Amino acid sequence: MKKEISIRNEISQLKQVAGFVDEIGKELCLDGELQMNLNLVLEEMVSNIIRYAYPQAADDSIGLKAESDGKQITLTLTDQGREFDPTQMGDLDTDVNPAERKTGGMGIFIVKNMMNQVTYQRVNGKNVVIMKKDIR
């Protein structure tokens, strides 16, 4: 299985992402929990790109590709925004009261803990985040 979409860097495009995950879930016969987790991961990563990678009101696109061999799914996000490596974010101290914790980083923490592997590359001026999850 291989699917690919391109969306605009607008929050309203998260509906497209959810539809994309739905298609993948049906095609791969994923259980509801796994599909929900993949949707959460992509929603978190795409919304971070939209909010932080581009200057305000910049119009650009975000590429999303999904590939699977039936045992593992690989999700690749590509954008031309500011360089940012989410794998370099330190782990959150989950023992700290959330009200006392610094803002930011929780989404990336969730992504890194839900996926089996998260890698980053900067290729030809583009951020490329590759996330892998065992599905069988």
Side-chain angles (χ1 to χ4, degrees):
M1 186 271 325
K2 184 175 181 178
K3 291 191 176 294
E4 203 165 342
I5 61 170
S6 180
I7 61 170
R8 294 184 314 279
N9 64 323
E10 298 173 4
I11 289 294
S12 64
Q13 296 289 289
L14 290 176
K15 292 177 194 170
Q16 299 285 99
V17 174
F20 185 70
V21 174
D22 252 4
E23 288 179 27
I24 294 165
K26 287 176 185 163
E27 188 166 330
L28 296 175
C29 299
L30 300 179
D31 68 59
E33 182 179 355
L34 178 55
Q35 187 170 325
M36 183 178 68
N37 288 344
L38 292 176
N39 190 57
L40 175 62
V41 162
L42 287 177
E43 184 176 303
E44 188 60 44
M45 294 301 286
V46 170
S47 64
N48 280 349
I49 292 168
I50 292 167
R51 288 187 183 116
Y52 305 116
Y54 295 100
Q56 198 163 11
D59 186 24
D60 212 328
S61 64
I62 300 166
L64 176 53
K65 181 170 57 172
E67 297 178 274
S68 179
D69 60 4
K71 296 177 185 171
Q72 184 179 70
I73 187 164
T74 301
L75 304 170
T76 305
L77 283 169
T78 307
D79 71 84
Q80 296 181 33
R82 291 184 187 103
E83 185 172 354
F84 177 71
D85 182 352
T87 66
Q88 295 303 307
M89 290 287 296
D91 288 335
L92 290 179
D93 184 353
T94 54
D95 294 330
V96 173
N97 180 334
E100 297 171 7
R101 199 178 294 142
K102 290 190 316 187
T103 303
M106 181 56 82
I108 292 171
F109 174 80
I110 290 169
V111 169
K112 288 165 64 176
N113 282 283
M114 284 189 165
M115 301 303 283
N116 295 105
Q117 181 181 11
V118 179
T119 59
Y120 170 84
Q121 300 173 42
R122 183 77 176 179
V123 180
N124 298 325
K126 294 181 180 182
N127 295 304
V128 180
V129 176
I130 300 169
M131 300 170 288
K132 295 183 178 190
K133 179 70 176 173
D134 296 335
I135 58 173
R136 299 273 187 264

